[in-house]
Amino acid sequence: MFLYSSYMLTAALLVTCHALHPGNNEISGILRLPGRVGQEVQSHLLGLVRPPGRDRRPWLPGLPDFLNTELHKILVHLKNRLCRLERVLVFRGKISKAGEKIFASNGKQVDFAAALGSCEEAGGTLATPRNEAENKAILDIVKQYKRYAYLGIKEGETSGRFKYINGMPLNYTKWHRYEPNGRGSEKCVEMYLDGSWNDKRCHMDRLTVCEF
Ligand SMILES: *[C@@H]1O[C@H](CO)[C@@H](O)[C@H](O)[C@H]1NC(C)=O
C-alpha cells in the first residue's frame, strides 16, 4: 500500500499538463510518462484512473475501493495544482515548455562549462533543441533576455561533426547560413536571437538556459 501510493504520487508529478484544459478535473486519456519506469507506473495508473462505474473490478488488486478513490482524488488534485503552477510560471515568463521539456534561465552569462555545471547542479542539463518546437521554446527565453545562449551541443573529434553532450548524433539542426564554419576551432554552439545556430569558441559569456 505504502509502496503503491508513493509510486503513484511520483507518477502524478510526472504527468504533463499540456493536454489538460483549465477546469478539467479528471485524469483521463493517455498519460504519457517518460522512461521505462514511467511505462511501468503508467500501466498501474491506467488501471487506477479507469472512470468509476464503468468497471467494478478494483483498480488496484488488493487495495480497498475507498483507498483507490482517495488516491485518485489526490492524483487529480495534484495534477491540477501542478498544471496551474506551470501556467503561472509560463505567464510570468519564468519557464517555457515543449512537449515533456521545461526550459528556464537563471539570467547569468557564463562560459560553456560553467553554464553546463549550473544546469546539472540544478538537476537539469544545458538546453538542447531536438526539434523545431524545442528550438522555439529556447528561443522564447533567448529573446526575453536578448542574449545568445550556449546549447547542449559540442563538436566531436572529427572537425565539423557536432553531437549532443551525451555523445549521440544530432537528429535536428538549425544552423545559420554558412555555419558551422569554425573548422575545429569553435567547438561549442550558440543560439542567435532569431533561433538559428552558430559554432563558437567555448569560453565566451553566454546566457545560461537549462532544460529540465
Ligand atoms: C530527434 O529525436 C528526439 C528523441 O527521440 C525527438 O524527441 C525529436 O523529436 C527528434 N527530432 C526530429 C526532428 O525528428
Side-chain angles (χ1 to χ4, degrees):
M1 161 54 211
F2 178 74
L3 181 71
Y4 262 132
S5 58
S6 52
Y7 214 25
M8 287 181 295
L9 293 181
T10 308
L13 296 173
L14 294 174
V15 174
T16 56
C17 293
H18 67 276
L20 189 77
H21 298 293
N24 182 351
N25 65 351
E26 274 296 321
I27 294 183
S28 57
I30 302 301
L31 303 171
R32 291 195 296 111
L33 303 175
R36 202 174 304 144
V37 172
Q39 296 218 322
E40 199 176 313
V41 172
Q42 185 171 317
S43 61
H44 286 287
L45 270 175
L46 286 177
L48 179 77
V49 300
R50 194 162 42 221
R54 264 232 312 257
D55 188 333
R56 298 312 306 164
R57 275 181 301 140
W59 302 333
L60 282 175
L63 265 195
D65 263 7
F66 82 94
L67 273 182
N68 269 313
T69 309
E70 277 312 303
L71 285 170
H72 181 246
K73 275 195 221 154
I74 292 168
L75 283 172
V76 168
H77 174 79
L78 277 175
K79 184 180 180 186
N80 268 295
R81 185 83 200 179
L82 200 62
C83 291
R84 281 157 60 207
L85 268 172
E86 276 195 2
R87 284 190 202 108
V88 170
L89 292 174
V90 169
F91 177 67
R92 297 277 292 140
K94 299 293 183 196
I95 64 170
S96 66
K97 302 198 304 172
E100 305 280 336
K101 288 190 186 176
I102 295 177
F103 300 100
S105 176
N106 59 6
K108 300 212 167 106
Q109 295 178 66
V110 293
D111 66 21
F112 177 88
L116 176 59
S118 64
C119 288
E120 287 179 343
E121 202 176 312
T125 188
L126 261 185
T128 307
R130 299 292 301 257
N131 53 47
E132 194 62 35
E134 293 181 8
N135 206 71
K136 163 80 173 54
I138 298 166
L139 177 60
D140 284 347
I141 295 177
V142 163
K143 273 183 172 163
Q144 187 184 333
Y145 288 90
K146 300 188 179 66
R147 292 285 178 271
Y148 300 171
Y150 279 127
L151 301 175
I153 296 171
K154 275 198 105 166
E155 193 168 23
E157 303 307 317
T158 320
S159 122
R161 172 118 0 127
F162 286 81
K163 303 173 181 175
Y164 298 115
I165 40 188
N166 66 8
M168 298 297 288
L170 307 183
N171 68 340
Y172 165 83
T173 59
K174 200 172 175 86
W175 294 112
H176 196 263
R177 207 168 170 204
Y178 306 128
E179 304 294 346
N181 62 6
R183 272 166 290 148
S185 69
E186 301 180 324
K187 297 214 159 284
C188 287
V189 177
E190 63 186 356
M191 179 183 279
Y192 284 155
L193 297 185
D194 67 355
S196 66
W197 307 354
N198 173 44
D199 57 337
K200 193 75 184 173
R201 281 164 299 145
C202 299
H203 66 270
M204 315 296 290
D205 285 341
R206 291 290 176 262
L207 181 66
T208 303
V209 182
C210 310
E211 68 177 44
F212 299 93

